[in-house]
Each structure stands twice: as structure tokens, then as C-alpha cells.
Amino acid sequence: MNLYNSFAKAFAENHDKTALRVPERELTLTFSELERLSAQMANLLLEQGLNAGDRVAVQVEKSPEALALYLAVLRAGGVYLPLNTAYMPDELAYFVGNAEPGIVVATQRQMPVFQQIRHDTGCVFQMLTLEADGGGSLTTAAQVHAETFASVERDDSDIAAILYTSGTTGRPKGAMISHGNLSSNARVLGEYWGWQKDDVLLHALPIFHVHGLFVACNISLSQGTEMIYLSRLDIDEMIRQLPASTVLMGVPTFYTRLLADPRFDSELVKNMRLFVSGSAPLLEETFAEFEARTGHQILERYGMTETGMNTSNPLNGERLPGTVGFPLPGTSVRIVDADGKVLAANEVGSLQVKGPNVFAGYWRMPEKTASEFSSDGYFITGDLGKIDDQGYVSIVGREKDLIISGGYNIYPKEVEMVLNEIDGVLESAVFAFKDKDFGEGVAAAIVTDGSASVTDTAIKGICKGRLAGYKLPRKIVMLEELPRNTMGKVQKNILREKYGS
Ligand code: MCA
Ligand code: AMP
């Protein structure tokens, strides 16, 4: 069924309860207000010509209205396509050209960019604006519409959202995520993490990725519980709000930044029930320091855009640092060797998953989809893992060439493609360096033709206009040549060893 219907049930039971508290705007929104606002927006989307299955691309700041828009798209039977606010025009042009949305919602500032994209791609779409303060043509036009809306019928297998993830080829793929994927994952996580009626989630993640939207918001919405909704990670605000919260979800950077603040102590978190970490590896030292400071063990879980959440450390049993816990109920996880043979406990191999959480495939890429599934229907995650004899899963590395910085994924190929186009750059290799704040950062080794104009600053300046901020190389090393093996393949492990710390 339509994912929204599982939220609607919780909304009906919690009509007058606070759904969102937004300290920065001194605003609260009840579940009935959220329902009415999303109904008005859903009516507007239909008036704008949205048909079931049409994509609605959204590049907006985090706001309660942005969350209502997500609900409106679900209710209207559309496909929600959230876009990171950091994406630059070239990146956006690819997503829009590929997904062909019927409607684009963005800030007024971005309108010229989308107008240009409409012109260049020939893609026909309506445009609406939404600002961080909730203003814009979307909310103004929605106001005149009815406050009720009967959700468009959708099956579990119908697509609710497309989220772009990049790839080793540098060409992003749209992961098609179904209503069934999202409702099953939200239900399983709510149960596994012992969600309670009076839980209050402190929400400081962006809502254009799986973690902030499909884990954090979907659980709270389907359980009818309150969110303290911050526009971004602001440690001062978080410290003000922690005493009123019971659950926090974050990437490891959230926890290292909290620990760096002397005000963060056990007294501040005495109301807290659960701290969840994911999207990137949590260092064992962070787990230990956190426990020593607060008495709480961070619960680490593991997921992917294509699969939602796959595994989690237990709520009540032992949370083992350095592991991502057990497969979630209904999800099967296995470790296989290069021939697809299932490996014994503690052996390291390719991690594969199967279950109702696993996505429907890549948008308009049937061959790519087929190549990422085993013949018996397991999704090949590209992560290297092992399962110990108690069943705890650990992620020990990656088969894919991927950098994860502060929870954002960067595929080196995307950055190399931009670097290689710069006049005077002969070749480049992008790799991770260790970063205290973000876990990993983007480094680039560059071979130039010797021109004086190809400086560190010039390269960074050119990249800035072409790539989202978090993808920019922050460390550049100029080399005479790249280290290669006898097959001619660049040895990134050597670059990481020499320049990666
Ligand atoms: C911001 N900057 C970054 C990052 N974020 N650089 C590298 N890595 C980053 N993650 C840069 C900006 O471009 C800017 O550069 C400068 O840092 C300050 O930007 P600002 O926005 O103020 O940064 P911040 O507020 O300190 O943000 C850091 C952050 C944020 C809180 C760690 O990146 C964040 O919220 N990350 C969470 C990402 C996330 O939700 N991932 C889940 C993906 P300049 O100064 O040069 O302009 S879903 C997923 O992975 C799976 C499914 C899963 O398992 O969850
Ligand atoms: P994304 O493409 O943003 O969905 O990122 C998914 C990838 O993030 C996974 O394939 C893993 O490599 C990584 N990841 C997510 N959670 C964890 C975790 N708890 N520990 C280690 N890696 C993780």
C-alpha cells in the first residue's frame, strides 16, 4: 500500500500531538497540521499535472514545509527525488536529464539554474519555489487548496522515491525505492529499537538522504512521535535540546563533535534512551570515549541507499564496537567469495543482502541492475565483511572505490573526471586521507604537464564551480607520475599509505 497510509494511521491516533518542534523558528506543528498542509500540497501537485509515477525533484533547505512536501508527493502517487543542496549545476543537469521530473521544487536562488537546465535538456517540467523559512510559490499556491486528500493507491512494489548514488564509473545511478521497501524498513526498525510513544527524536541530519529521511523521519512519522527538528548540525542548539530528547541519530561526526564539547556530559543526556550511529564506520575509540563520558553505548547500524537498513546492534543485548550488529528481522546477510561460495564464520568476503528492504533496481539501467544482483537474488553491496560465530556482522573494507566524508559518499571517479579536464593536468588519482572530523577526506594526486598555471589554488578554484562542496579535494599532491602496478593500474593503496594520514 501507499507508504503514506501507514503514517496516516499514526497521525489519526495522535492528532493533536506535536509532530515537529522547530526551535530555530519557534514553531510547532501537530500531526493534524502536518496532514492538512501535505493535503493542500498534494492537491496543488495534481493541479500542476502530476500523474502517478511522475518524478518530483526537490532541492530545498530543510524545513517542516519540505517534510510536508515529501508527504504530499507520496500521497499524490508521485516519485520523490530529493537532491543535496550542495549539488552544482552540472551535477543537477545530469539528475534532471536522467530522471525527467514533471515538477521541480527549489529555492528562488536556484531558479535560473533549473531554467537553464530546462533549456539545455529540453526536459519539460513545472517549477515551484520553497525557501528555508517556508515561504515561496509552493506554500502560497497550496494555501487555496482543500485540506483533505485521499491518497492515490499504490502497491508495495510501486516506486516511492529515487535517490541518486554515484558509482565507480562516475556516472550516478538512480536507486528506485518502493513503498514496500520503506514501510517494511520503518516498521522493522521501530520494533528493533523499541520505539516508545513518548520518544522524542532530536533530528539534525539533512533530509535529502536515506539516514535523515527514510530512517529518522519515517520511523517517527509511522510511530506518531515528536521530532525536535533542527535545520543542521549545530552543537550549541543540540546541547540546548538534548535534555528534552530521548533518541538521537547521527553520522560519526555528530558524536566526535559532541565529545569535543566540555558541556556534553552524563547530566545533559539523562533523559536519553538511544544514540544511533551509521552511514560511516564509528571508531572503537569514539564508542569507548562516549560510554566513559555519558554511560551510553552508541548503537551502530549499517545500511545503504539501495537497501535501507540491513543490520543493527541490539537494543538490549551486547553492542559490540567495531561491528554493525545482526541482520534485521526479515533481511538475510551473507558473505561470499569470488566464486559466490558462502564463507564460514570470521572469513572475509563480499557482503550480500536480500530482503523486503532491498530496492527495485536502478532507474533506466536494467543491465547495471542485473550485474549488481547474484543469480539467486542477493544484492551485491560492494562492502567487504565478515560474520563472527555469534552472528555479529563487521564491515572490514570496500570492494568499491569509495570515500565517505562526514557520512557523504564520494566516488573518486567523479572527481578525477573533473580534474582530468583541467588544462595542464595530464592525469589524476583521487583517494582518501584520514580526517579527525569527517573520518575521511578527499585527496588528489596530480600529474601536470609542468605549466606554471596548474597550481593547487587554481585546481581547487576550478573544482569549486563543478562539484558539491563536500567532494572538493582538500589535499592535493603534485607527482611526477602515479604509482602503477605491472598491469598499469594506479595503486591507490600506495597513495593512501604515503599521503593519507
Ligand atoms: C560539509 N562540508 C563537508 C562535509 N559537510 N566536507 C566534507 N565532508 C562533509 N560531510 C564542507 C562544506 O562544503 C563547507 O566547505 C564546510 O564543510 C562547512 O559546511 P557546513 O554545511 O557548515 O558543514 P557542517 O554543518 O559542519 O556539516 C558537517 C556534517 C554534515 C554535519 C557532518 O556533512 C552532515 O550532516 N552529514 C551527514 C550526511 C548524511 O546524512 N549522510 C547519510 C547518507 P567550505 O567551507 O569550503 O564552503 S545515507 C547513507 O549513508 C546510508 C544509507 C546510511 O547507512 O545511512
Ligand atoms: P550510501 O551510498 O550513502 O547509501 O552509503 C552506503 C555505504 O556506507 C555502505 O555501502 C557502507 O560502505 C557505508 N556504511 C553505512 N553504514 C556504515 C557503518 N555503520 N559502518 C561502515 N560503513 C557503513
Side-chain angles (χ1 to χ4, degrees), residues 279-281 300-305 324 383 398 400 404 409:
S279 310
E300 186 170 9
R301 60 41 170 197
Y302 156 69
M304 268 186 93
T305 300
V324 291
D383 289 312
R398 301 175 198 133
K400 51 196 174 194
I404 305 184
N409 289 7

Side-chain angles (χ1 to χ4, degrees), residues 322 346-349 351 383-387 393-398:
N346 293 314
E347 288 187 326
V348 173
L351 193 152
D383 289 312
L384 288 171
K386 62 177 182 180
I387 306 180
V393 178
S394 303
I395 311 296
V396 300
R398 301 175 198 133

Side-chain angles (χ1 to χ4, degrees), residues 31 44-45 59 63 68 94 119 124 137 175 181 188 210 253 273 286 319 333 414 467 498:
F31 282 102
L44 171 65
L45 293 175
Q59 192 195 32
S63 67
Y94 175 83
H119 175 266
V124 185
S137 63
N181 292 150
V188 167
V210 167
T253 304
R273 182 176 77 77
T286 309
R319 297 179 195 164
V333 175
E414 290 184 84
L467 292 165
K498 275 195 169 165

Side-chain angles (χ1 to χ4, degrees), residues 284 302 311 320-327 333-337 342-352 381-398:
E284 291 184 39
Y302 156 69
T311 74
L320 263 193
T323 81
V324 291
F326 305 110
V333 175
R334 69 183 188 188
I335 309 292
V336 303
D337 69 9
V342 177
L343 294 172
N346 293 314
E347 288 187 326
V348 173
S350 164
L351 193 152
Q352 303 187 341
T381 62
D383 289 312
L384 288 171
K386 62 177 182 180
I387 306 180
D388 75 8
D389 34 27
Q390 293 183 72
Y392 284 91
V393 178
S394 303
I395 311 296
V396 300
R398 301 175 198 133

Side-chain angles (χ1 to χ4, degrees), residues 204-206 208-212 215 232-233 251 253-254 257 278-280 301-305 308-309 405-410 437-438 440 464 468-472 474:
L205 286 161
F208 39 66
H209 286 305
V210 167
H211 197 165
V215 183
R232 52 182 291 276
L233 176 63
V251 298
T253 304
F254 278 39
R257 286 196 188 171
S279 310
R301 60 41 170 197
Y302 156 69
M304 268 186 93
T305 300
M309 299 303 103
S405 173
Y408 286 139
N409 289 7
I410 301 118
D437 188 30
F438 292 134
E440 293 180 342
K464 210 173 175 142
Y470 64 90
K471 299 181 189 170
L472 298 176
R474 285 191 289 133

